[in-house]
Amino acid sequence: MTDQPAYIASIGTALPGAPIDNEELAKRFGIDAGWIEVFIGNRTRHFAVDLDSGEVRHTLADLAARAGGRALAASGVAPEDIGFIVMGTATPDSLMPATVNLVADQLGLDHLPTYQLQSGCAGALQALDLGRTLIASGTHKAGLVLGGDVCTKHLPLGEDFAGLAPSELVNFVLFGDGAGAAVLTAEPAGARLSLVRVLNRLVGLGREPGQTVEWFGIADRDSGRQALKEDYKAIESAVPVMASEILWELLDDQGWSQSELHYLLPPQLSVRMTERIVEELNMSSATEISCVADTGNTSNALPFMQMSLLVDRIEPGQKAIGIAVESSKWIKAGFALEKV
Amino acid sequence: MTDQPAYIASIGTALPGAPIDNEELAKRFGIDAGWIEVFIGNRTRHFAVDLDSGEVRHTLADLAARAGGRALAASGVAPEDIGFIVMGTATPDSLMPATVNLVADQLGLDHLPTYQLQSGCAGALQALDLGRTLIASGTHKAGLVLGGDVCTKHLPLGEDFAGLAPSELVNFVLFGDGAGAAVLTAEPAGARLSLVRVLNRLVGLGREPGQTVEWFGIADRDSGRQALKEDYKAIESAVPVMASEILWELLDDQGWSQSELHYLLPPQLSVRMTERIVEELNMSSATEISCVADTGNTSNALPFMQMSLLVDRIEPGQKAIGIAVESSKWIKAGFALEKV
């Protein structure tokens, strides 16, 4: 929100269990592995829920604590200098306690403000946005920012797949579970990535949601309603355009020319969608940093997974832009990084 | 988070339907109205869910939009000067879209950052905290802060009450639904309440949750698990002590003496608990501002309902402190106000 930067000192990520490949997925759902390869393009993904029993094996709190612990260990920041925790997720373990507070417990962090932002694919960036604002307030030396989702707990994994509509089946091949974390600092430390700007803007007025995730209360848990619903046509047509607008706004804001951008972290619904988006963004001089082929769309974990690939490659003076689009009620989100 | 104040220009609130008195409640649940009067003390509450059918009649988005619209109308702030929306709730309508974005839609607000904080009784204060930090960042002239809950959708209202345990029945007589809103400004406007400090601190390390609210996913919607659970003994023993610590920390921070405090907005689980807490706080010179007798515990709406009573009474130069305790994972929250 302000022009004062915060710095990313380290990134940590966590994925549940072993990767599940298309053969295994196809066999379980009675579909064709070639169809996944051709139309989706993702090769593997990790599920927090057991594919056979539908049982939740990894909670979001567990995954986020693991990612957070890794980021803290890599940051060189003392735990007592962590002044806040912010977490972005669409899929909390419970409504209360907020999952962020269970993560704090696992990490041994206490006596600090915590914030849990409820959001779809913009949640990680909203969390970075809030983390940056808190650092800029001058009150904190450092803070922990988390993002993650366990989408599979909203999928009917224990049910009979023969009865599922294609619009439901596609969710099994697009998503993966996971969590990510970043330690933010007021002064350059560790990875020395300056978080020069975060964009976070609702643009959904009067537009139908592209994605919904229901909770089931007492009143409707026997209603047979579908938990996770998507309007893929709306998403496919809106996301590339919004991604392009986000990219150009961030370049403009920073006064960066197209040729100055070294790395591009595009939105990642699937390999095929990412290809289309990257083509439309037309930034041939920038290196694409993608992970969706291996992880699936991990929602609020994904920007951290992209950044974990970025920190190993980016050199001092190089610039990167990350883009995320929230299609549940249409939010433009993005961030600009520079290694100092 | 910073020492720069934000100002509350106006407050708006919304309650669903007609008040439900103890006679009506007792008759519906087959319990004794005198028991409610003696042990709880609340006289009425408003339910978003129809008491007979269990049907949800008012969504959280509808209530928050009504409260937000009232606050905006009373603020004198032009809609185009609203730079952000922050909402605190424990009970969103869905997981996605975030309820705050549906409220934005109803209010005609767009092209601005929105944040939805997932939290129990500290959510309203976390939202005020974040709103204040955003104002202090210098980027915004004004913003809308919302808080509210529809707890009753987590209660088995459509079921047979004879089979309910006392620990479940007590939830029906404690809670009420509602929403509240405040317009925050960078310069004094409208009600001219300076929000000089917001405290928001997790203190739950290693402590068992005092309250849990489950969502029900596909995996467990037929499990028969109880959605809302509370450890009333833990809450009854911890909350008065924590409330006292919050009050004294806020007084200390501001350098305010006990006699300088004109108004006290205590936490409000029930009339009887509030009486005990206020007695323990021992601030006889301050006027208590309570609403729980009429509204029940409206969770994240309640601080706004207290503030709506305060704005009509507080005179320039007078000081007020509000206190909230989140018992799901134990968060200390509070705020200090001064009319300028």
Side-chain angles (χ1 to χ4, degrees):
Chain A
M1 302 310 302
T2 65
D3 289 314
Q4 204 175 324
Y7 298 89
I8 293 173
S10 60
I11 299 286
T13 64
L15 291 163
I20 294 168
D21 66 18
N22 292 341
E23 288 296 333
E24 193 178 344
L25 210 59
K27 201 174 146 194
R28 178 73 178 91
F29 300 146
I31 55 175
D32 181 44
W35 175 82
I36 305 176
E37 181 55 44
V38 171
F39 290 100
I40 308 295
N42 303 0
R43 289 186 301 262
T44 59
R45 69 288 296 156
H46 298 248
F47 284 173
V49 174
D50 182 68
L51 199 54
D52 290 318
S53 67
E55 186 194 333
V56 179
R57 293 268 167 93
H58 304 260
T59 66
L60 178 62
D62 291 343
L63 292 170
R66 222 194 303 158
R70 286 171 182 163
L72 287 168
S75 69
V77 173
E80 60 268 26
D81 286 338
I82 297 295
F84 60 81
I85 314 177
V86 184
M87 180 164 181
T89 184
T91 55
D93 288 328
S94 306
L95 291 176
M96 282 172 65
T99 305
V100 66
N101 298 320
L102 303 179
V103 176
D105 223 46
Q106 290 197 35
L107 294 174
L109 295 171
D110 202 27
H111 291 279
L112 76 183
T114 61
Y115 306 86
Q116 181 172 310
L117 297 166
Q118 181 70 30
S119 183
C121 291
L125 276 59
Q126 290 188 350
L128 284 169
D129 175 24
L130 174 50
R132 184 163 173 265
T133 304
L134 289 168
I135 290 282
S137 76
T139 321
H140 308 285
K141 282 190 201 172
L144 180 62
V145 175
L146 303 162
D149 277 298
V150 173
C151 293
T152 46
K153 67 172 176 260
H154 295 279
L155 297 172
L157 269 170
E159 295 184 12
D160 176 23
F161 296 107
L164 289 182
S167 66
E168 284 186 273
L169 263 181
V170 74
N171 289 321
F172 293 90
V173 299
L174 280 177
F175 291 102
D177 300 323
V183 171
L184 259 55
T185 52
E187 299 296 331
R192 302 176 67 87
L193 288 179
S194 173
L195 183 58
V196 288
R197 170 126 169 81
V198 185
L199 172 69
N200 167 31
R201 185 187 305 135
L202 175 69
V203 292
L205 187 63
R207 294 168 74 182
E208 283 298 307
Q211 189 175 28
T212 59
V213 181
E214 295 290 341
W215 64 267
F216 290 101
I218 293 280
D220 54 2
R221 66 175 166 177
D222 302 323
S223 65
R225 276 199 290 146
Q226 188 180 328
L228 189 66
K229 261 191 302 192
E230 272 153 347
D231 181 347
Y232 284 111
K233 283 193 180 155
I235 292 172
E236 274 182 16
S237 76
V239 172
V241 178
M242 288 171 73
S244 193
E245 289 168 354
I246 294 163
L247 174 64
W248 284 100
E249 177 168 345
L250 286 170
L251 286 172
D252 258 19
D253 275 357
Q254 298 314 123
W256 292 352
S257 72
Q258 212 172 331
S259 63
E260 275 182 293
L261 187 68
H262 295 89
Y263 297 100
L264 178 65
L265 287 56
Q268 311 254 275
L269 191 61
S270 69
V271 167
R272 296 291 165 256
M273 266 286 280
T274 302
E275 285 167 357
R276 276 192 48 210
I277 291 166
V278 169
E279 197 179 345
E280 185 133 339
L281 293 177
N282 192 26
M283 299 292 290
S284 49
S285 59
T287 303
E288 177 193 336
I289 305 272
S290 286
C291 61
V292 69
D294 300 320
T295 64
N297 176 6
T298 55
S299 187
N300 288 310
L302 198 129
F304 295 97
M305 293 178 177
Q306 290 172 302
M307 282 193 280
S308 78
L309 300 174
L310 178 73
V311 288
D312 294 335
R313 307 177 61 161
I314 192 167
E315 300 289 336
Q318 290 189 330
K319 297 167 171 61
I321 281 180
I323 300 169
V325 175
E326 223 266 27
S327 53
S328 78
K329 191 56 186 161
W330 309 108
I331 293 171
K332 285 185 179 178
F335 57 102
L337 295 171
E338 187 168 3
K339 173 119 173 169
V340 296
Chain B
M1 303 306 303
T2 65
D3 289 315
Q4 204 175 325
Y7 298 88
I8 293 173
S10 60
I11 298 286
T13 64
L15 291 163
I20 294 168
D21 66 19
N22 292 341
E23 287 295 334
E24 194 177 344
L25 211 58
K27 199 173 148 197
R28 178 72 178 90
F29 299 146
I31 56 175
D32 181 43
W35 175 82
I36 306 175
E37 181 56 44
V38 172
F39 290 99
I40 308 295
N42 303 0
R43 290 187 299 262
T44 59
R45 71 287 297 157
H46 298 248
F47 284 172
V49 174
D50 182 69
L51 198 55
D52 290 318
S53 66
E55 185 194 336
V56 178
R57 293 268 167 93
H58 303 260
T59 66
L60 178 61
D62 291 343
L63 292 171
R66 221 195 302 160
R70 285 171 183 163
L72 286 169
S75 70
V77 172
E80 60 268 26
D81 286 337
I82 297 296
F84 60 83
I85 314 177
V86 184
M87 179 164 180
T89 184
T91 55
D93 289 328
S94 305
L95 292 176
M96 283 172 62
T99 305
V100 66
N101 298 320
L102 302 179
V103 176
D105 223 47
Q106 289 196 36
L107 293 174
L109 295 171
D110 201 26
H111 291 277
L112 77 181
T114 61
Y115 308 85
Q116 182 172 309
L117 297 165
Q118 182 69 30
S119 183
C121 291
L125 275 58
Q126 290 188 350
L128 284 170
D129 176 24
L130 175 49
R132 182 163 174 266
T133 304
L134 290 168
I135 289 283
S137 75
T139 322
H140 307 285
K141 281 190 204 174
L144 180 62
V145 175
L146 303 161
D149 276 298
V150 174
C151 294
T152 45
K153 67 173 175 261
H154 296 279
L155 297 172
L157 269 170
E159 294 183 12
D160 176 24
F161 298 107
L164 289 182
S167 66
E168 285 186 274
L169 262 182
V170 74
N171 288 320
F172 293 89
V173 299
L174 279 177
F175 291 102
D177 300 322
V183 170
L184 258 56
T185 51
E187 300 295 332
R192 301 177 66 88
L193 288 180
S194 173
L195 182 58
V196 289
R197 169 125 168 84
V198 185
L199 172 69
N200 166 31
R201 185 187 304 135
L202 175 68
V203 292
L205 187 64
R207 294 168 74 181
E208 283 298 307
Q211 190 175 28
T212 60
V213 181
E214 295 290 341
W215 65 267
F216 291 100
I218 293 281
D220 53 5
R221 67 175 164 175
D222 302 323
S223 66
R225 278 199 287 146
Q226 188 178 328
L228 188 67
K229 261 192 302 195
E230 271 154 347
D231 180 348
Y232 285 111
K233 284 194 179 152
I235 292 172
E236 275 183 16
S237 77
V239 172
V241 178
M242 288 171 72
S244 192
E245 290 168 355
I246 293 163
L247 173 64
W248 283 100
E249 177 168 344
L250 286 170
L251 285 172
D252 258 18
D253 276 357
Q254 298 313 123
W256 292 352
S257 72
Q258 210 172 333
S259 63
E260 275 182 294
L261 187 69
H262 296 89
Y263 296 100
L264 178 66
L265 286 54
Q268 310 254 274
L269 192 61
S270 69
V271 167
R272 295 291 166 257
M273 267 285 281
T274 301
E275 285 167 356
R276 277 192 46 210
I277 291 165
V278 169
E279 196 179 347
E280 185 132 339
L281 293 176
N282 194 24
M283 299 291 290
S284 49
S285 60
T287 303
E288 177 193 335
I289 306 273
S290 286
C291 60
V292 69
D294 300 319
T295 65
N297 175 6
T298 55
S299 188
N300 288 309
L302 197 129
F304 296 97
M305 292 178 177
Q306 290 172 303
M307 282 193 282
S308 78
L309 299 174
L310 178 73
V311 289
D312 293 335
R313 306 176 62 160
I314 192 168
E315 298 288 336
Q318 290 189 329
K319 297 167 171 61
I321 281 180
I323 299 169
V325 174
E326 222 266 27
S327 53
S328 78
K329 191 57 187 161
W330 307 107
I331 293 171
K332 285 185 180 179
F335 57 100
L337 295 171
E338 186 169 3
K339 173 121 175 168
V340 296

